Amino acid sequence: MKKLNVALCGSGRIGRVHAANIAAHPGINLTWVADPMTESAEEVATQYGARPTGSTADVFADASLDAVVICSPTPTHVQLIEAASARGIAVLCEKPIDLDIERVRSCRETLAAASIPLMMGFNRRFDPAFAAIRQRVAAGEIGRLEHLSIVSRDPAPAPAAYIAASGGIFRDMTIHDLDMARFFIRDIVEVTAHGANVFSDYIAEAGDFDSAVVTLRGRNGELVSITNSRHSAYGYDQRLEAFGSGGMLRADNISPTTVRSFGSRAVEAADPYEPFFLERYAAAYRRELDHFVEAVNTGTPCSPGFDDGISALILADTAAESAATGRTITVEGALQT
């Protein structure tokens, strides 16, 4: 297979993760790094031998381009997806597609005519532990899945400026867990959510929650519980448990080593958990890119795709509504599949 010529749109924190993975991938040439912050674009492009630009128009004018990885701010995603669609260029786009579900639906209509390979960046589906549990559940190892428990706590809250523009905890943070729920249980029919402000004044002042709990019900009666917090004193807390009629499968937190210390003050003392998502999900980002390259080269469908992005956003919007109103909300028939 020929190497794909890939452009990177956005050279911030997550853009740099993708840049490193793209540059290291044997099936990709990183050709462009685009960012209106031209200093940042130049820094990343120079590091990996790509061309920098402050305008995505330069990227889409390149006739040799095969794909684009979109890591720019959320309000730019739809515009860049549609520009790629007009050129027939494959897309890997970070979540969410947009914060406005109607704009997302309009974008879907535009894409229907182009049929470009498009993959959403819900990288946690590619985490080796989570993916293994999902495969084993699907194989029937624990019988009928009855309850899925997802814990996701950040080590510290994002800055106030980020929180104000994030769309709220459900669209920014819980959306990953909502997609993970659908990875196991495709048909979610009911959402109940509660939000709380227990430690951050500036998050409360932004009209957002610093903590949340979401309960989902699947079409066949399965339950999903999601626990979120914007802070965790003991590090980045990422756990998943699948419980079924024949047993249980669990993925615990990850530390840099498996070394345990035993002494008079403590036993089985371990290294702190990985500090944040860049370290915890490093393997997932690499595997996500592998899947994207394979899908583009072979013409197989990208997964998660655009409709998974729509469904996750619908669930996030519904969770926000439930938390605001105190109601359990039925979503049957509302999700894209």
Side-chain angles (χ1 to χ4, degrees):
M1 296 181 182
K2 79 175 187 73
K3 280 193 169 187
L4 299 178
N5 290 324
V6 175
L8 181 71
C9 294
S11 57
R13 180 172 62 175
I14 192 60
R16 291 172 187 240
V17 172
H18 283 291
N21 289 336
I22 291 167
H25 199 287
I28 301 178
N29 292 315
L30 179 60
T31 56
W32 290 95
V33 177
D35 197 308
M37 307 293 289
T38 53
E39 254 186 53
S40 177
E42 288 168 2
E43 180 185 347
V44 175
T46 299
Q47 184 176 1
Y48 297 112
R51 286 172 286 181
T53 180
S55 171
T56 55
D58 293 334
V59 169
F60 293 114
D62 184 349
S64 70
L65 195 65
D66 297 304
V68 61
V69 177
I70 300 173
C71 311
S72 49
T74 298
T76 68
H77 289 180
V78 166
Q79 175 188 352
L80 294 174
I81 289 170
E82 291 181 346
S85 172
R87 277 284 322 279
I89 294 168
V91 174
L92 170 58
C93 181
E94 278 297 327
K95 64 83 193 167
I97 303 167
D98 195 82
L99 296 178
D100 182 347
I101 190 63
E102 294 308 319
R103 192 175 184 218
V104 173
R105 287 183 170 131
S106 175
C107 181
R108 185 173 186 266
E109 292 177 10
T110 301
L111 292 177
S115 298
I116 61 167
L118 191 147
M119 182 172 168
M120 290 304 303
F122 288 115
N123 68 292
R124 295 181 191 181
R125 291 191 182 207
F126 297 93
D127 174 73
F130 296 168
I133 290 180
R134 195 256 190 177
Q135 185 177 26
R136 291 165 69 170
V137 167
E141 182 173 329
I142 60 169
R144 180 177 182 268
L145 179 62
E146 298 174 4
H147 181 215
L148 184 70
S149 176
I150 303 169
V151 175
S152 179
R153 298 183 176 107
D154 285 351
Y162 177 92
I163 295 292
S166 69
I169 192 170
F170 297 110
R171 298 178 186 90
D172 172 55
M173 183 177 179
T174 317
I175 196 168
H176 274 294
D177 305 312
L178 295 168
D179 179 72
M180 183 57 60
R182 291 194 65 252
F183 189 42
F184 282 82
I185 302 165
R186 190 133 185 107
D187 294 323
I188 302 296
V189 298
E190 190 178 274
V191 178
T192 308
H194 299 280
N197 297 100
V198 292
F199 67 87
S200 173
D201 291 340
Y202 72 81
I203 291 178
E205 289 165 4
D208 194 11
F209 301 115
D210 56 42
S211 308
V213 174
V214 179
T215 302
L216 310 173
R217 187 184 299 275
R219 185 179 302 279
N220 296 315
E222 313 97 319
L223 293 175
V224 182
S225 57
I226 297 170
T227 303
N228 290 152
S229 176
R230 290 283 195 186
H231 76 170
S232 171
Y234 51 87
Y236 191 42
D237 190 5
Q238 299 288 296
R239 290 174 281 141
L240 184 144
E241 179 182 291
F243 174 82
S245 56
M248 185 261 288
L249 293 164
R250 184 176 70 197
D252 290 324
N253 280 306
I254 294 176
S255 299
T257 77
T258 59
V259 174
R260 297 293 184 268
S261 171
F262 296 76
S264 60
R265 295 175 62 87
V267 296
E268 295 202 30
D271 292 342
Y273 298 139
E274 293 288 7
F276 206 18
F277 72 94
L278 300 179
E279 298 83 7
R280 169 62 181 82
Y281 290 113
Y285 281 110
R286 292 192 296 268
R287 287 161 55 107
E288 173 187 69
L289 187 62
D290 287 341
H291 176 83
F292 179 64
V293 171
E294 182 179 2
V296 173
N297 278 323
T298 63
T300 53
C302 293
S303 179
F306 192 87
D307 283 353
D308 293 303
I310 293 179
S311 294
L313 184 59
I314 289 172
L315 288 174
D317 286 349
T318 306
E321 181 183 353
S322 174
T325 62
R327 295 189 295 113
T328 294
I329 300 175
T330 300
V331 291
E332 188 169 8
L335 301 186
Q336 302 291 333
T337 56

CSV table of all heavy atoms in Angstrom, one decimal, residues 153-205:
chain,number,residue,atom,x,y,z
A,153,ARG,N,-12.3,10.1,36.1
A,153,ARG,CA,-12.0,11.3,36.9
A,153,ARG,C,-10.7,12.0,36.4
A,153,ARG,O,-9.7,11.3,36.4
A,153,ARG,CB,-12.0,11.0,38.4
A,153,ARG,CG,-13.3,10.4,38.9
A,153,ARG,CD,-13.1,10.1,40.4
A,153,ARG,NE,-14.3,9.7,41.1
A,153,ARG,CZ,-14.5,8.4,41.5
A,153,ARG,NH1,-13.6,7.5,41.3
A,153,ARG,NH2,-15.7,8.1,42.0
A,154,ASP,N,-10.8,13.2,36.1
A,154,ASP,CA,-9.5,14.0,35.7
A,154,ASP,C,-8.7,14.3,37.0
A,154,ASP,O,-9.3,14.4,38.1
A,154,ASP,CB,-9.9,15.3,35.0
A,154,ASP,CG,-10.3,15.1,33.6
A,154,ASP,OD1,-10.2,13.9,33.1
A,154,ASP,OD2,-10.8,16.0,33.0
A,155,PRO,N,-7.4,14.4,36.9
A,155,PRO,CA,-6.6,14.7,38.0
A,155,PRO,C,-6.8,16.1,38.6
A,155,PRO,O,-6.7,16.4,39.8
A,155,PRO,CB,-5.1,14.6,37.5
A,155,PRO,CG,-5.2,14.7,36.1
A,155,PRO,CD,-6.6,14.2,35.7
A,156,ALA,N,-7.2,17.1,37.7
A,156,ALA,CA,-7.4,18.5,38.1
A,156,ALA,C,-8.3,19.1,37.0
A,156,ALA,O,-8.3,18.7,35.9
A,156,ALA,CB,-6.1,19.2,38.2
A,157,PRO,N,-9.1,20.1,37.4
A,157,PRO,CA,-10.0,20.8,36.4
A,157,PRO,C,-9.2,21.6,35.4
A,157,PRO,O,-8.1,22.1,35.7
A,157,PRO,CB,-10.9,21.6,37.3
A,157,PRO,CG,-10.1,21.9,38.6
A,157,PRO,CD,-9.3,20.6,38.8
A,158,ALA,N,-9.8,21.7,34.3
A,158,ALA,CA,-9.2,22.6,33.2
A,158,ALA,C,-9.3,24.0,33.6
A,158,ALA,O,-10.1,24.4,34.5
A,158,ALA,CB,-9.9,22.3,31.9
A,159,PRO,N,-8.5,24.9,33.0
A,159,PRO,CA,-8.6,26.4,33.3
A,159,PRO,C,-10.0,26.9,33.0
A,159,PRO,O,-10.8,26.4,32.2
A,159,PRO,CB,-7.5,27.0,32.4
A,159,PRO,CG,-6.6,25.9,32.0
A,159,PRO,CD,-7.5,24.6,32.0
A,160,ALA,N,-10.3,28.1,33.6
A,160,ALA,CA,-11.6,28.7,33.5
A,160,ALA,C,-12.0,29.0,32.0
A,160,ALA,O,-13.1,28.8,31.6
A,160,ALA,CB,-11.7,29.9,34.3
A,161,ALA,N,-11.0,29.4,31.2
A,161,ALA,CA,-11.2,29.8,29.8
A,161,ALA,C,-11.7,28.5,29.1
A,161,ALA,O,-12.5,28.6,28.2
A,161,ALA,CB,-10.0,30.4,29.2
A,162,TYR,N,-11.1,27.4,29.4
A,162,TYR,CA,-11.4,26.2,28.7
A,162,TYR,C,-12.8,25.7,29.1
A,162,TYR,O,-13.6,25.4,28.2
A,162,TYR,CB,-10.4,25.1,29.0
A,162,TYR,CG,-10.8,23.7,28.4
A,162,TYR,CD1,-10.3,23.4,27.2
A,162,TYR,CD2,-11.6,22.8,29.1
A,162,TYR,CE1,-10.6,22.1,26.6
A,162,TYR,CE2,-12.0,21.6,28.5
A,162,TYR,CZ,-11.4,21.3,27.3
A,162,TYR,OH,-11.8,20.1,26.7
A,163,ILE,N,-13.1,25.8,30.4
A,163,ILE,CA,-14.4,25.3,30.9
A,163,ILE,C,-15.5,26.2,30.2
A,163,ILE,O,-16.6,25.7,29.8
A,163,ILE,CB,-14.5,25.5,32.4
A,163,ILE,CG1,-13.5,24.5,33.1
A,163,ILE,CG2,-15.9,25.3,32.9
A,163,ILE,CD1,-13.8,23.1,32.9
A,164,ALA,N,-15.3,27.5,30.1
A,164,ALA,CA,-16.3,28.4,29.6
A,164,ALA,C,-16.7,28.0,28.1
A,164,ALA,O,-17.8,28.3,27.7
A,164,ALA,CB,-15.8,29.8,29.7
A,165,ALA,N,-15.7,27.5,27.4
A,165,ALA,CA,-15.9,27.2,25.9
A,165,ALA,C,-16.2,25.8,25.6
A,165,ALA,O,-16.3,25.4,24.5
A,165,ALA,CB,-14.7,27.7,25.1
A,166,SER,N,-16.2,24.9,26.7
A,166,SER,CA,-16.2,23.5,26.5
A,166,SER,C,-17.5,22.9,26.1
A,166,SER,O,-17.6,21.7,25.6
A,166,SER,CB,-15.7,22.8,27.8
A,166,SER,OG,-16.6,22.9,28.8
A,167,GLY,N,-18.6,23.6,26.4
A,167,GLY,CA,-19.9,23.0,26.2
A,167,GLY,C,-20.5,22.3,27.4
A,167,GLY,O,-21.6,21.8,27.4
A,168,GLY,N,-19.7,22.3,28.5
A,168,GLY,CA,-20.1,21.7,29.7
A,168,GLY,C,-19.6,20.3,29.9
A,168,GLY,O,-19.2,19.6,28.9
A,169,ILE,N,-19.7,19.8,31.1
A,169,ILE,CA,-19.0,18.5,31.4
A,169,ILE,C,-19.6,17.3,30.6
A,169,ILE,O,-18.8,16.4,30.2
A,169,ILE,CB,-19.2,18.2,32.9
A,169,ILE,CG1,-18.3,17.0,33.4
A,169,ILE,CG2,-20.6,18.0,33.3
A,169,ILE,CD1,-18.2,16.8,34.9
A,170,PHE,N,-20.9,17.3,30.3
A,170,PHE,CA,-21.4,16.2,29.6
A,170,PHE,C,-21.0,16.2,28.1
A,170,PHE,O,-20.7,15.1,27.6
A,170,PHE,CB,-23.0,16.3,29.6
A,170,PHE,CG,-23.5,16.2,31.0
A,170,PHE,CD1,-24.1,17.3,31.6
A,170,PHE,CD2,-23.4,15.0,31.7
A,170,PHE,CE1,-24.6,17.2,32.9
A,170,PHE,CE2,-23.9,14.9,33.1
A,170,PHE,CZ,-24.5,16.0,33.6
A,171,ARG,N,-20.8,17.3,27.5
A,171,ARG,CA,-20.4,17.4,26.1
A,171,ARG,C,-18.9,17.3,25.9
A,171,ARG,O,-18.4,16.9,24.9
A,171,ARG,CB,-20.9,18.6,25.4
A,171,ARG,CG,-22.4,18.7,25.3
A,171,ARG,CD,-22.9,20.0,24.7
A,171,ARG,NE,-24.3,20.2,24.7
A,171,ARG,CZ,-25.0,20.8,25.8
A,171,ARG,NH1,-24.3,21.3,26.8
A,171,ARG,NH2,-26.3,20.9,25.8
A,172,ASP,N,-18.2,17.7,27.0
A,172,ASP,CA,-16.7,17.8,26.9
A,172,ASP,C,-16.1,16.5,27.5
A,172,ASP,O,-15.1,15.9,26.9
A,172,ASP,CB,-16.2,19.0,27.7
A,172,ASP,CG,-14.7,19.0,27.9
A,172,ASP,OD1,-14.0,18.9,26.8
A,172,ASP,OD2,-14.2,19.1,29.0
A,173,MET,N,-16.5,16.0,28.6
A,173,MET,CA,-15.9,14.9,29.4
A,173,MET,C,-16.7,13.6,29.3
A,173,MET,O,-16.2,12.6,28.9
A,173,MET,CB,-15.7,15.4,30.8
A,173,MET,CG,-14.9,14.4,31.7
A,173,MET,SD,-14.7,15.0,33.3
A,173,MET,CE,-13.9,13.6,34.1
A,174,THR,N,-18.0,13.7,29.7
A,174,THR,CA,-18.8,12.5,29.7
A,174,THR,C,-19.0,11.9,28.3
A,174,THR,O,-19.2,10.7,28.2
A,174,THR,CB,-20.2,12.8,30.3
A,174,THR,OG1,-20.0,13.6,31.5
A,174,THR,CG2,-20.9,11.5,30.7
A,175,ILE,N,-18.9,12.7,27.3
A,175,ILE,CA,-19.1,12.2,25.9
A,175,ILE,C,-18.2,11.0,25.6
A,175,ILE,O,-18.7,10.1,24.9
A,175,ILE,CB,-19.0,13.4,24.9
A,175,ILE,CG1,-19.6,13.0,23.6
A,175,ILE,CG2,-17.5,13.8,24.8
A,175,ILE,CD1,-19.7,14.2,22.6
A,176,HIS,N,-17.0,11.0,26.1
A,176,HIS,CA,-16.2,9.8,25.9
A,176,HIS,C,-16.8,8.6,26.5
A,176,HIS,O,-16.8,7.5,25.9
A,176,HIS,CB,-14.8,10.0,26.5
A,176,HIS,CG,-13.8,10.8,25.6
A,176,HIS,ND1,-13.3,10.2,24.4
A,176,HIS,CD2,-13.2,12.0,25.7
A,176,HIS,CE1,-12.5,11.0,23.9
A,176,HIS,NE2,-12.4,12.1,24.6
A,177,ASP,N,-17.3,8.7,27.7
A,177,ASP,CA,-17.9,7.6,28.4
A,177,ASP,C,-19.3,7.2,27.8
A,177,ASP,O,-19.6,6.0,27.8
A,177,ASP,CB,-18.1,8.0,29.9
A,177,ASP,CG,-16.8,8.4,30.5
A,177,ASP,OD1,-15.8,7.8,30.4
A,177,ASP,OD2,-16.8,9.5,31.2
A,178,LEU,N,-20.0,8.2,27.3
A,178,LEU,CA,-21.2,7.8,26.6
A,178,LEU,C,-20.9,7.0,25.3
A,178,LEU,O,-21.7,6.1,25.0
A,178,LEU,CB,-22.0,9.1,26.2
A,178,LEU,CG,-22.5,9.9,27.4
A,178,LEU,CD1,-22.9,11.3,27.0
A,178,LEU,CD2,-23.6,9.2,28.1
A,179,ASP,N,-19.9,7.4,24.6
A,179,ASP,CA,-19.5,6.6,23.4
A,179,ASP,C,-19.0,5.2,23.9
A,179,ASP,O,-19.3,4.2,23.2
A,179,ASP,CB,-18.4,7.3,22.6
A,179,ASP,CG,-17.9,6.4,21.4
A,179,ASP,OD1,-18.7,6.4,20.5
A,179,ASP,OD2,-16.9,5.8,21.5
A,180,MET,N,-18.3,5.1,25.0
A,180,MET,CA,-17.9,3.8,25.5
A,180,MET,C,-19.1,3.0,25.8
A,180,MET,O,-19.1,1.7,25.6
A,180,MET,CB,-17.0,4.0,26.7
A,180,MET,CG,-16.4,2.7,27.3
A,180,MET,SD,-15.5,1.7,26.1
A,180,MET,CE,-14.2,2.8,25.6
A,181,ALA,N,-20.1,3.6,26.4
A,181,ALA,CA,-21.3,2.8,26.7
A,181,ALA,C,-21.9,2.3,25.4
A,181,ALA,O,-22.3,1.1,25.4
A,181,ALA,CB,-22.3,3.8,27.4
A,182,ARG,N,-22.0,3.1,24.4
A,182,ARG,CA,-22.5,2.6,23.1
A,182,ARG,C,-21.6,1.6,22.4
A,182,ARG,O,-22.1,0.8,21.6
A,182,ARG,CB,-22.8,3.7,22.1
A,182,ARG,CG,-23.9,4.7,22.6
A,182,ARG,CD,-24.4,5.6,21.4
A,182,ARG,NE,-24.9,4.8,20.3
A,182,ARG,CZ,-24.3,4.6,19.2
A,182,ARG,NH1,-23.1,5.1,18.9
A,182,ARG,NH2,-24.9,4.0,18.2
A,183,PHE,N,-20.3,1.6,22.7
A,183,PHE,CA,-19.4,0.6,22.2
A,183,PHE,C,-19.8,-0.8,22.7
A,183,PHE,O,-19.7,-1.8,22.0
A,183,PHE,CB,-18.0,0.9,22.7
A,183,PHE,CG,-16.9,0.1,22.1
A,183,PHE,CD1,-16.9,-0.2,20.8
A,183,PHE,CD2,-15.8,-0.3,22.9
A,183,PHE,CE1,-15.8,-0.9,20.2
A,183,PHE,CE2,-14.8,-1.0,22.4
A,183,PHE,CZ,-14.8,-1.3,21.0
A,184,PHE,N,-20.4,-0.9,23.9
A,184,PHE,CA,-20.8,-2.1,24.5
A,184,PHE,C,-22.3,-2.4,24.3
A,184,PHE,O,-22.7,-3.5,24.0
A,184,PHE,CB,-20.6,-2.1,26.0
A,184,PHE,CG,-19.1,-2.4,26.4
A,184,PHE,CD1,-18.2,-1.4,26.4
A,184,PHE,CD2,-18.7,-3.7,26.8
A,184,PHE,CE1,-16.9,-1.6,26.8
A,184,PHE,CE2,-17.4,-3.9,27.2
A,184,PHE,CZ,-16.5,-2.9,27.2
A,185,ILE,N,-23.1,-1.3,24.4
A,185,ILE,CA,-24.6,-1.4,24.3
A,185,ILE,C,-25.0,-0.4,23.3
A,185,ILE,O,-25.2,0.8,23.6
A,185,ILE,CB,-25.2,-1.2,25.7
A,185,ILE,CG1,-24.7,-2.2,26.7
A,185,ILE,CG2,-26.7,-1.3,25.6
A,185,ILE,CD1,-25.0,-1.8,28.2
A,186,ARG,N,-25.3,-0.9,22.1
A,186,ARG,CA,-25.5,0.1,21.0
A,186,ARG,C,-26.8,0.9,21.2
A,186,ARG,O,-26.8,2.1,20.9
A,186,ARG,CB,-25.5,-0.7,19.7
A,186,ARG,CG,-25.5,0.2,18.5
A,186,ARG,CD,-24.5,-0.2,17.4
A,186,ARG,NE,-24.5,0.8,16.3
A,186,ARG,CZ,-23.5,1.6,16.2
A,186,ARG,NH1,-22.5,1.6,17.0
A,186,ARG,NH2,-23.5,2.4,15.1
A,187,ASP,N,-27.8,0.2,21.6
A,187,ASP,CA,-29.1,0.9,21.7
A,187,ASP,C,-29.4,1.3,23.1
A,187,ASP,O,-29.8,0.6,24.0
A,187,ASP,CB,-30.3,-0.1,21.3
A,187,ASP,CG,-30.1,-0.4,19.8
A,187,ASP,OD1,-29.8,0.5,19.0
A,187,ASP,OD2,-30.4,-1.6,19.4
A,188,ILE,N,-29.2,2.6,23.4
A,188,ILE,CA,-29.5,3.3,24.6
A,188,ILE,C,-30.9,3.9,24.5
A,188,ILE,O,-31.1,4.7,23.6
A,188,ILE,CB,-28.4,4.3,25.0
A,188,ILE,CG1,-27.0,3.7,25.1
A,188,ILE,CG2,-28.8,5.0,26.3
A,188,ILE,CD1,-26.9,2.6,26.2
A,189,VAL,N,-31.7,3.7,25.5
A,189,VAL,CA,-33.1,4.2,25.3
A,189,VAL,C,-33.5,5.2,26.4
A,189,VAL,O,-34.6,5.8,26.3
A,189,VAL,CB,-34.1,3.0,25.3
A,189,VAL,CG1,-33.9,2.1,24.0
A,189,VAL,CG2,-34.1,2.2,26.5
A,190,GLU,N,-32.7,5.3,27.5
A,190,GLU,CA,-33.1,6.1,28.6
A,190,GLU,C,-31.9,6.7,29.3
A,190,GLU,O,-30.9,6.1,29.4
A,190,GLU,CB,-33.9,5.3,29.6
A,190,GLU,CG,-34.6,6.0,30.7
A,190,GLU,CD,-35.4,5.1,31.6
A,190,GLU,OE1,-36.5,4.8,31.2
A,190,GLU,OE2,-34.8,4.6,32.6
A,191,VAL,N,-32.0,8.0,29.7
A,191,VAL,CA,-30.9,8.7,30.3
A,191,VAL,C,-31.4,9.4,31.5
A,191,VAL,O,-32.4,10.1,31.5
A,191,VAL,CB,-30.3,9.8,29.3
A,191,VAL,CG1,-29.2,10.5,30.0
A,191,VAL,CG2,-29.8,9.1,28.0
A,192,THR,N,-30.6,9.2,32.6
A,192,THR,CA,-30.8,10.0,33.9
A,192,THR,C,-29.5,10.5,34.3
A,192,THR,O,-28.5,9.8,34.4
A,192,THR,CB,-31.4,9.1,35.0
A,192,THR,OG1,-32.5,8.4,34.5
A,192,THR,CG2,-31.8,10.0,36.2
A,193,ALA,N,-29.4,11.8,34.6
A,193,ALA,CA,-28.1,12.4,34.9
A,193,ALA,C,-28.3,13.4,36.1
A,193,ALA,O,-29.3,14.1,36.2
A,193,ALA,CB,-27.5,13.2,33.7
A,194,HIS,N,-27.3,13.4,36.9
A,194,HIS,CA,-27.2,14.4,38.0
A,194,HIS,C,-25.8,15.1,38.0
A,194,HIS,O,-24.8,14.4,37.8
A,194,HIS,CB,-27.4,13.7,39.4
A,194,HIS,CG,-28.7,13.0,39.5
A,194,HIS,ND1,-29.9,13.7,39.8
A,194,HIS,CD2,-29.0,11.7,39.3
A,194,HIS,CE1,-30.9,12.8,39.9
A,194,HIS,NE2,-30.4,11.6,39.6
A,195,GLY,N,-25.9,16.4,38.1
A,195,GLY,CA,-24.6,17.2,38.2
A,195,GLY,C,-24.5,17.8,39.6
A,195,GLY,O,-25.5,18.1,40.2
A,196,ALA,N,-23.3,18.1,40.0
A,196,ALA,CA,-23.1,18.8,41.3
A,196,ALA,C,-21.9,19.7,41.2
A,196,ALA,O,-21.0,19.6,40.4
A,196,ALA,CB,-22.8,17.7,42.4
A,197,ASN,N,-21.9,20.7,42.1
A,197,ASN,CA,-20.8,21.6,42.3
A,197,ASN,C,-20.3,21.4,43.7
A,197,ASN,O,-20.9,22.0,44.7
A,197,ASN,CB,-21.2,23.0,42.0
A,197,ASN,CG,-21.6,23.2,40.6
A,197,ASN,OD1,-22.8,23.2,40.3
A,197,ASN,ND2,-20.7,23.3,39.7
A,198,VAL,N,-19.2,20.7,43.9
A,198,VAL,CA,-18.8,20.4,45.2
A,198,VAL,C,-17.4,20.9,45.6
A,198,VAL,O,-17.0,20.9,46.7
A,198,VAL,CB,-18.8,18.9,45.5
A,198,VAL,CG1,-20.2,18.4,45.5
A,198,VAL,CG2,-18.0,18.1,44.4
A,199,PHE,N,-16.6,21.5,44.6
A,199,PHE,CA,-15.3,21.9,44.9
A,199,PHE,C,-14.8,23.1,44.1
A,199,PHE,O,-13.8,23.7,44.5
A,199,PHE,CB,-14.3,20.8,44.8
A,199,PHE,CG,-14.1,20.3,43.4
A,199,PHE,CD1,-13.1,20.9,42.6
A,199,PHE,CD2,-14.8,19.2,42.9
A,199,PHE,CE1,-12.9,20.4,41.3
A,199,PHE,CE2,-14.6,18.7,41.6
A,199,PHE,CZ,-13.6,19.3,40.8
A,200,SER,N,-15.4,23.5,43.0
A,200,SER,CA,-14.9,24.5,42.1
A,200,SER,C,-15.8,25.7,41.9
A,200,SER,O,-16.9,25.5,41.3
A,200,SER,CB,-14.5,23.9,40.7
A,200,SER,OG,-14.1,24.9,39.9
A,201,ASP,N,-15.5,26.8,42.5
A,201,ASP,CA,-16.3,28.0,42.3
A,201,ASP,C,-16.4,28.5,40.9
A,201,ASP,O,-17.4,28.9,40.3
A,201,ASP,CB,-15.8,29.1,43.2
A,201,ASP,CG,-16.0,28.9,44.7
A,201,ASP,OD1,-16.9,28.0,45.0
A,201,ASP,OD2,-15.3,29.5,45.5
A,202,TYR,N,-15.2,28.5,40.1
A,202,TYR,CA,-15.2,29.0,38.8
A,202,TYR,C,-16.0,28.1,37.8
A,202,TYR,O,-16.5,28.6,36.8
A,202,TYR,CB,-13.8,29.3,38.3
A,202,TYR,CG,-12.9,28.2,37.9
A,202,TYR,CD1,-13.0,27.5,36.7
A,202,TYR,CD2,-11.9,27.8,38.8
A,202,TYR,CE1,-12.1,26.5,36.4
A,202,TYR,CE2,-11.0,26.8,38.5
A,202,TYR,CZ,-11.1,26.1,37.3
A,202,TYR,OH,-10.3,25.1,36.9
A,203,ILE,N,-16.0,26.8,38.1
A,203,ILE,CA,-16.8,26.0,37.2
A,203,ILE,C,-18.3,26.2,37.5
A,203,ILE,O,-19.1,26.3,36.5
A,203,ILE,CB,-16.5,24.5,37.5
A,203,ILE,CG1,-15.1,24.2,36.9
A,203,ILE,CG2,-17.5,23.6,36.8
A,203,ILE,CD1,-14.6,22.7,37.2
A,204,ALA,N,-18.7,26.4,38.7
A,204,ALA,CA,-20.1,26.8,39.0
A,204,ALA,C,-20.5,28.1,38.4
A,204,ALA,O,-21.6,28.3,37.9
A,204,ALA,CB,-20.3,26.8,40.6
A,205,GLU,N,-19.5,29.1,38.5
A,205,GLU,CA,-19.8,30.4,37.9
A,205,GLU,C,-20.0,30.4,36.4
A,205,GLU,O,-20.7,31.2,35.8
A,205,GLU,CB,-18.7,31.4,38.3
A,205,GLU,CG,-18.7,31.8,39.7
A,205,GLU,CD,-17.4,32.4,40.2
A,205,GLU,OE1,-16.5,32.6,39.3
A,205,GLU,OE2,-17.2,32.7,41.4
